[in-house]
Amino acid sequence: MSTRTEDQALTGLKATGQAALPEVMAAALLTGHGGLEKLEYRTDVPVPVPGVGEVLIEVAAAGINNTDINTRIGWYSKAVDSGTNAGGADGFEKITDADAAWSGEALTFPRIQGADAAGRIVAVGPGVPGERIGERVLVRNMLRTYVGYRPYECWTFGSECDGGFAQFAVAPSGETYAVNSDWSDADLAAIPCAYSTAENMLHRAGVGAERVLITGASGGVGLAAVQLAKRRGATVTAVCSAVKAGQVLAEGADRAIDRGTDLVAELGRNSFDVVIDIVGGSQAGQLLDLLRAGGRYAIAGAISGPLAQIDLRTIYLKELSLLGCTFQEDRVFENLISYIEANEIHPVVSKTYPLADIAQAQEDFLSKKHTGKLVLLPPAATSANPANTNKTEI
């Protein structure tokens, strides 16, 4: 296939058989690190062009995650020592831009965030079969294509590259997965970040039919971990607020403990095989006390704060394994697609919002009054027939 200019590629993007694609789209732009005022909803953003090996997705729904807020406020900067909520609405007075994104690299702005994206492929770039157009898809949120599949390296969709808070998004074809499911778009969009984070922690910790404690169990990742741990045969104790305990138990937890409880006094030392921690903060030392000798502690978040005091003797005398979980092996997301198609899991979506209401949605997310996920819905961009078989390649 001959090389085309961007103008030629844009011309090629204007048709997908029955419906024309617009040249501009609605999108929520992050204009810099800071408070909610850094989110700008616009309707004149150019539709992205898929490059070699990429696809163009019309986004139907995009979930909200802690990482979206953490990136906006620069929480990943080592200058920050408090939890996400401390700067969630207004940002922090002092951060270091160079390490304010999760990868430790400075972001470029404006950036379209959104680690979760569910939709349909409407166009393909060079090297991608035209037969992919029309597929209903999910994008893997931890992208390896752009870093050459090097171990322990990845980009987050919506952080190191533009993501799903828009009518259209570009993603690598090899990391855009067709999914055969009758779930709603909002349900599918609740999966990528939360469920892959949870599945990765369980995968790394090798969880089976064991005693598992899960913190933050009413949130997106925590509730996903409850479902996925039960799928593996685990006996699950969930830590969450008392008002949300009923919902968490309904999703499969065997026991729910109020998050303000003295966990060691209530549950006893050496009473768990695995701890799945999303909360971090001052309770980390207690969580290690809960583990039996040879137990495993997996962490992939610290919404209560990144700093913790632990007794190193607990780690080496009890032969504990501490697992930091960010990078994901390919099989993690592939597992999720298979679970969806087999109806072995199902997310809880508490509320949906128009994309234009992203600031309100993030405020509601920070209030932690919901259980499970909040999801944004971009306005429909085309009237394309999902079953259309007329293929357009770039």
Side-chain angles (χ1 to χ4, degrees):
M1 181 178 294
S2 60
T3 302
R4 301 186 182 187
T5 67
E6 183 168 302
D7 286 343
Q8 289 172 322
L10 282 169
T11 299
L13 281 173
K14 291 180 182 177
T16 57
Q18 296 184 14
L21 294 177
E23 294 185 4
V24 296
M25 66 177 181
L29 301 181
L30 178 65
T31 59
H33 293 299
L36 292 165
E37 78 283 353
K38 295 296 185 179
L39 294 170
E40 183 179 342
Y41 180 77
R42 297 181 58 170
T43 58
D44 60 351
V45 179
V47 172
V49 179
V52 175
E54 294 180 329
V55 297
L56 180 69
I57 300 158
E58 182 172 355
V59 179
I64 294 176
N65 296 283
N66 264 306
T67 191
D68 306 318
I69 295 169
N70 287 340
T71 297
R72 170 172 58 78
I73 63 179
W75 179 85
Y76 296 106
S77 171
K78 297 295 187 184
V80 176
D81 60 9
S82 58
T84 300
N85 275 33
D90 301 321
F92 294 104
E93 289 186 9
K94 182 180 180 182
I95 63 169
T96 307
D97 285 344
D99 68 346
W102 77 270
S103 66
E105 299 290 336
L107 288 189
T108 57
F109 298 104
R111 170 67 68 224
I112 298 172
Q113 292 187 280
D116 292 341
R120 291 189 183 274
I121 296 176
V122 293
V124 299
V128 180
E131 287 73 22
R132 294 216 63 183
I133 293 175
E135 288 181 1
R136 196 175 188 212
V137 295
L138 284 175
V139 179
R140 178 162 71 178
N141 53 298
M142 305 298 281
L143 300 173
R144 302 187 64 199
T145 296
Y146 298 127
V147 294
Y149 277 75
R150 293 187 294 271
Y152 298 107
E153 290 187 47
C154 49
W155 283 10
T156 294
F157 193 58
S159 180
E160 286 65 46
C161 61
D162 285 342
F165 291 163
Q167 288 176 300
F168 295 95
V170 161
S173 176
E175 299 185 274
T176 301
Y177 290 79
V179 57
N180 180 20
S181 172
D182 61 1
W183 290 8
S184 70
D185 294 324
D187 286 346
L188 285 178
I191 291 293
C193 186
Y195 277 76
S196 71
T197 299
E199 177 71 5
N200 188 45
M201 297 171 80
L202 298 169
H203 170 69
R204 291 282 306 281
V207 170
E210 301 175 277
R211 301 163 299 170
V212 176
L213 180 83
I214 298 171
T215 68
S218 63
V221 178
L223 208 57
V226 169
Q227 293 182 1
L228 292 165
K230 290 302 295 182
R231 185 195 165 277
R232 290 168 174 256
T235 299
V236 173
T237 297
V239 182
C240 62
S241 64
V243 296
K244 298 177 182 177
Q247 178 89 61
V248 174
L249 290 168
E251 293 303 315
D254 298 283
R255 184 179 181 184
I257 302 295
D258 187 84
R259 65 186 181 190
T261 301
D262 182 328
L263 296 177
V264 173
E266 179 70 21
L267 299 169
R269 296 178 185 274
N270 308 318
S271 54
F272 290 90
D273 303 293
V274 180
V275 167
I276 301 296
D277 188 16
I278 303 131
V279 174
S282 60
Q283 70 173 358
Q286 274 203 330
L287 296 177
L288 298 183
D289 288 335
L290 292 173
L291 285 168
R292 64 161 172 83
R296 292 98 73 200
Y297 169 88
I299 184 166
I303 60 174
S304 283
L307 304 183
Q309 185 173 6
I310 62 175
D311 189 328
L312 296 176
R313 292 167 294 190
T314 302
I315 298 172
Y316 73 80
L317 291 175
K318 292 176 67 173
E319 307 269 358
L320 301 181
S321 296
L322 274 58
L323 304 165
C325 302
T326 297
F327 172 83
Q328 299 172 9
E329 296 178 1
D330 295 354
R331 63 181 292 186
V332 169
F333 205 83
E334 293 163 1
N335 285 347
L336 294 179
I337 298 298
S338 70
Y339 303 162
I340 293 168
E341 294 184 337
N343 280 316
E344 294 179 350
I345 56 173
H346 203 287
V348 173
V349 176
S350 289
K351 189 174 180 180
T352 63
Y353 302 76
L355 178 61
D357 293 344
I358 183 172
Q360 181 61 58
Q362 288 198 2
E363 282 191 294
D364 290 351
F365 184 95
L366 288 163
S367 76
K368 302 300 182 187
K369 294 179 181 179
H370 66 286
T371 301
K373 293 281 289 186
L374 304 180
V375 175
L376 296 169
L377 304 177
T382 74
S383 58
N385 179 359
N388 170 44
T389 56
N390 295 319
K391 313 303 181 184
T392 299
E393 283 190 73
I394 304 305

